[in-house]
């Protein structure tokens, strides 16, 4: 799926290049390289490269403080964090989840031998629709895995109520939700566990990375053991664990990235505001999820291309691409449409009309801290001119 090799420059309507490089849906935020050198020097000096070294410990502490959570376990990516969260809670049988996500959400269930049961999404938030969950619960259901899609919070209260009524666990796929808060604090405090991604394409990146937010020290200890092959001490292995550890280089980068995160979020907010303001009034284009004054992270900028717009969503996607603007259709196709899921009865499109419609209309426009405002304005002009 990697399109990094494509090198069409972004071209304005008058044929002039607005950027000598293609504009991608996102670009990782990187701190000044010279600031990273002292971190590397420390690693070179200590020769501790991984297995829970000093950078790893410092990043856990710093993230707990920044995110306002009690316990965090770092991982080498978000997918292993999800896989391990399911293992930690010994989830089996059937799990209710959304078809409108990155494929890793459902793959983490299949890798654990769990049957995903897809439930439709809410037409306003594009998150799992709590009103549709109960009908999908069977005696085999053990958990719900909702996604805070695009970093927009799920209806956490409604989901928890259902989970309490049916004695289900809740593991949030919070891959998009770094730094998001609701009125009571971090969105990551909800459910039994939340799994984050620190991938290059995420708001906070450690190149690759991830984490699980845990409610208590005991759960964190179990997760730390699971991510280190199940080792408890030098000679004791208590579970078939995996290698999910974050390396010292990734952790060091995370520490440095934290110095810039508020600045990066602020810049994303400005871009979000500009898109919303200037796209308003373009017939057939709808912006999703205005966070208002809530603490959002502006991880993505999804628009919906409706029937009133002169072009189809795909025609707009290709038109932008020809002009060097690489938007993305996150999340099309639906997970439930991939071959390994299609056979599940819950994967039928008749069961998922809102998600199917969303996948047909959505287009995520470029948003990242270094994105020049003139490019944002150009993208908007391009959309308005069709
Ligand atoms: N759950 C959810 C809900 C998720 O969205 C994800 C990941 C996960 C779980 C799993 O977390 P991880 O295991 O990945 O930590 C990307 C990412 O690979 C993936 O992390 C992400 N979700 C998903 C939504 O998007 P692609 O295949 O679309 O990425 P790619 O390589 O096409 O990158 C998009 C654009 O970003 C490129 O056109 C250019 C730019 N880019 C990308 C990379 C990797 C850069 O400028 N530099 C880079 O290094 O999947």
């Amino acid at each position: 799926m990697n399109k990094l090799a494509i090198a069409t420059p972004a071209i304005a309507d008058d044929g002039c290049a607005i950027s000598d490089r293609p504009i991608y849906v996102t670009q990782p935020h990187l701190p000044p390289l010279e600031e990273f050198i002292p971190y590397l020097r420390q690693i070179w000096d200590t020769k501790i490269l991984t297995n829970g070294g000093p950078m790893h410990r410092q990043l856990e502490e710093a993230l707990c403080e920044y995110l306002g959570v009690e316990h965090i376990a770092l991982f080498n990516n978000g997918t292993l964090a999800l896989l391990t969260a399911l293992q930690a809670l010994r989830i089996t049988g059937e799990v209710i989840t959304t078809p409108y996500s990155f494929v890793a959400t459902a793959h983490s269930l299949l890798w654990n031998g769990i049957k995903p049961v897809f439930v439709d999404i809410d037409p306003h938030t594009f998150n799992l629709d709590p009103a549709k969950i109960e009908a999908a619960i069977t005696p085999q259901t053990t958990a719900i895995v909702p996604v805070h899609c695009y970093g927009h919070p799920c209806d956490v209260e409604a989901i928890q109520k259902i989970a309490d009524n049916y004695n289900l666990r809740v593991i949030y796929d919070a891959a998009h939700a770094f730094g998001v808060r609701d009125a009571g604090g971090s969105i990551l405090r909800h459910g039994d566990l939340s799994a984050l991604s620190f991938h290059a394409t995420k708001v906070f990146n450690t190149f690759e990375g991830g984490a699980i937010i845990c409610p208590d020290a005991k759960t964190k200890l179990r997760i730390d053991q699971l991510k280190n092959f199940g080792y408890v001490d030098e000679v004791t292995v208590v579970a078939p664990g995996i290698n999910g550890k974050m390396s010292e280089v990734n952790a060091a980068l995370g520490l440095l990235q934290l110095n810039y995160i508020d600045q990066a979020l602020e810049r994303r907010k400005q871009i979000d505001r500009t898109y919303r303001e200037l796209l308003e009034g373009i017939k057939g284009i709808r912006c999703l999820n205005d966070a208002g004054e809530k603490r959002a992270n502006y991880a993505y900028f999804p628009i919906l291309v409706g029937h009133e717009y002169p072009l189809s969503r795909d025609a707009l996607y290709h038109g932008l691409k020809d002009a060097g603007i690489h938007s993305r259709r996150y999340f099309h196709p639906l997970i439930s449409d991939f071959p390994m899921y299609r056979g599940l009865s819950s994967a039928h499109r008749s069961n998922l009309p809102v998600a199917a419609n969303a996948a047909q209309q959505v287009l995520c426009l470029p948003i990242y801290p270094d994105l020049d405002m003139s490019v944002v304005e150009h993208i908007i002009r391009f959309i308005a001119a069709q």
Side-chain angles (χ1 to χ4, degrees):
M1 246 184 126
N2 205 323
K3 286 103 202 144
L4 297 179
I6 302 169
T8 339
I11 309 290
D13 308 340
D14 59 5
C16 299
I18 54 162
S19 163
D20 53 4
R21 290 176 178 199
I23 304 294
Y24 294 114
V25 67
T26 189
Q27 189 178 77
H29 177 264
L30 287 174
L33 183 57
E34 59 277 14
E35 290 186 21
F36 195 41
I37 305 298
Y39 290 82
L40 292 178
R41 198 159 286 128
Q42 272 187 59
I43 295 171
W44 258 246
D45 285 347
T46 62
K47 295 193 169 46
I48 304 289
L49 310 188
T50 187
N51 287 7
M55 298 290 178
H56 184 282
R57 282 197 298 276
Q58 280 176 55
L59 183 59
E60 286 195 339
E61 271 173 38
L63 281 173
C64 279
E65 192 178 325
Y66 181 80
L67 295 170
V69 297
E70 291 283 308
H71 303 278
I72 192 168
L74 296 177
F75 276 79
N76 46 13
N77 63 58
T79 305
L80 274 167
L82 267 177
L83 284 170
T84 309
L86 292 158
Q87 285 278 326
L89 299 185
R90 299 183 174 87
I91 304 298
T92 56
E94 294 180 6
V95 166
I96 289 170
T97 191
T98 169
Y100 191 82
S101 181
F102 190 60
V103 74
T105 310
H107 277 2
S108 67
L109 299 172
L110 286 194
W111 267 68
N112 274 301
I114 297 163
K115 180 179 168 188
V117 175
F118 296 110
V119 162
D120 209 359
I121 56 170
D122 176 279
H124 303 292
T125 63
F126 287 15
N127 288 328
L128 202 55
D129 187 346
K132 305 212 175 108
I133 291 177
E134 260 182 291
I137 295 173
T138 73
Q140 284 71 48
T141 311
T142 56
I144 307 171
V145 174
V147 178
H148 298 298
C149 192
Y150 308 130
H152 192 86
C154 291
D155 187 344
V156 288
E157 269 93 31
I159 290 170
Q160 195 56 54
K161 205 167 163 202
I162 297 165
D164 290 344
N165 285 347
Y166 291 88
N167 193 25
L168 305 177
R169 310 307 286 269
V170 182
I171 298 174
Y172 280 102
D173 180 338
H176 303 173
F178 185 91
V180 176
R181 293 175 154 266
D182 61 16
S186 172
I187 196 73
L188 305 170
R189 74 191 188 283
H190 295 287
D192 294 281
L193 297 172
S194 289
L196 285 162
S197 166
F198 304 153
H199 182 259
T201 55
K202 297 295 184 284
V203 162
F204 172 81
N205 85 77
T206 55
F207 282 22
E208 291 269 5
I212 300 178
I213 308 298
C214 324
D216 52 61
K218 194 173 159 208
T219 312
K220 174 174 158 53
L221 183 64
R222 174 161 165 76
I223 287 170
D224 282 343
Q225 290 166 355
L226 282 173
K227 81 177 188 196
N228 186 28
F229 311 98
Y231 271 103
V232 167
D233 59 40
E234 241 178 87
V235 290
T236 319
V237 172
V238 290
I242 201 157
N243 183 355
K245 294 167 273 110
M246 179 183 276
S247 87
E248 288 292 278
V249 172
N250 300 96
L253 181 65
L255 280 169
L256 184 53
Q257 294 280 41
L258 270 183
N259 295 343
Y260 292 93
I261 186 69
D262 285 333
Q263 208 173 304
L265 292 180
E266 186 50 39
R267 180 74 189 142
R268 284 176 175 276
K269 183 177 180 174
Q270 287 166 9
I271 294 168
D272 178 284
R273 287 285 164 264
T274 305
Y275 271 135
R276 278 180 205 283
E277 202 179 300
L278 300 182
L279 286 171
E280 205 182 319
I282 301 181
K283 222 172 171 185
I285 299 291
R286 179 160 81 85
C287 302
L288 205 67
N289 293 340
D290 189 353
E293 286 315 302
K294 278 189 296 213
R295 175 67 145 76
N297 67 4
Y298 313 99
Y300 295 84
F301 196 85
I303 59 167
L304 300 178
V305 184
H307 299 302
E308 289 179 312
Y309 189 72
L311 299 182
S312 68
R313 186 275 311 271
D314 286 348
L316 178 58
Y317 164 80
H318 287 295
L320 282 166
K321 199 170 186 175
D322 291 344
I325 310 286
H326 299 259
S327 61
R328 291 298 282 270
R329 290 163 289 188
Y330 295 132
F331 288 102
H332 158 81
L334 294 178
I335 300 176
S336 45
D337 282 342
F338 289 123
M340 71 246 49
Y341 297 100
R342 235 184 264 149
L344 297 169
S345 58
S346 67
H348 290 169
R349 278 184 158 236
S350 56
N351 179 49
L352 308 163
V354 182
N357 198 36
Q360 244 161 41
Q361 293 195 0
V362 74
L363 195 63
C364 287
L365 299 180
I367 186 165
Y368 51 89
D370 287 341
L371 183 59
D372 204 277
M373 218 41 111
S374 64
V375 176
V376 175
E377 286 162 9
H378 169 69
I379 294 170
I380 296 161
R381 275 200 303 280
F382 185 97
I383 295 172
Q386 304 306 310

